[in-house]
Amino acid sequence: MAGLLDLLNSPMGQQLISGVAGQTNQPEDKTANVLSMAMPLILGAMKKNVSTPEGAQGLMSALSNNHSGGILDNIGGLFGGGVDDSVISDGAGILGHVFGNKQPQVENALSQKSGLDAGTVAQILKIAAPIVMGYLGKQTAQSNVSDGSGMNALLGSMLGGQPQENQNLITTLLDADGDGSILDDVAGMVMGSNKKSGGLGGLLGGLFGK
């Protein structure tokens, strides 16, 4: 099963990093840093959402209708002449759905962690979200996922590629206080203020070999 680590380290991932960096006029290393933190958070939020039948059905419907993975077939074209407004709009909608009113906290946390301003981080997130959905759509089709439990397992494997201990930590950290809202403490987790865990930023840094 191809995970996010495989995507970001692949030629397509390098194209993605380069394209997003060009779109936002930012250095590639900082762009890669934001993507390596943002994409697992987007997937992690989706994983939490599919824990309910309604959430699973909503995600699978979105994948089958609009996010089958075609966006990945021409990453170079996506960034040629600038990312289309429809992609940005789609990304904004995805982020609003998965992060809800916690989105500003996510943007601010990633901004402080990466050194890029929150507005730039927001731009990167809007471009990353449709690509994450497209990648998930491709994996869903290849794995013949047809229900919530299958989707949950797929998302878990995409967040994997590391020792089980790290995978367990990601799952735990995304809902640190166990109340069902995975983003309550995202700002603290990404910034590393969660002393017990060492911070989500440090964990994802290990996950992506940074």
Side-chain angles (χ1 to χ4, degrees), residues 36-37 40 113 159 162-174 189-190 192 197-210:
S36 71
M37 291 185 289
K113 183 70 177 173
L159 282 163
Q162 286 290 301
Q164 188 65 41
E165 178 186 4
N166 277 7
Q167 295 183 39
N168 291 342
L169 274 172
I170 284 185
T171 304
T172 305
L173 287 172
L174 283 172
M189 288 187 290
V190 173
S197 69
L200 185 58
L203 173 64
L204 294 178
L207 179 66
F208 288 97
K210 301 290 182 192

Side-chain angles (χ1 to χ4, degrees), residues 50 52 56-57 60 145-153:
V50 301
T52 67
Q57 186 56 49
M60 296 187 70
V145 171
S146 59
D147 57 29
S149 62
M151 179 60 71
N152 190 51

Side-chain angles (χ1 to χ4, degrees), residues 172-173 176-177 185 187-200:
T172 305
L173 287 172
D177 55 7
D185 302 310
M189 288 187 290
V190 173
M191 291 306 297
S193 62
N194 187 335
K195 303 295 185 218
K196 187 169 65 174
S197 69
L200 185 58

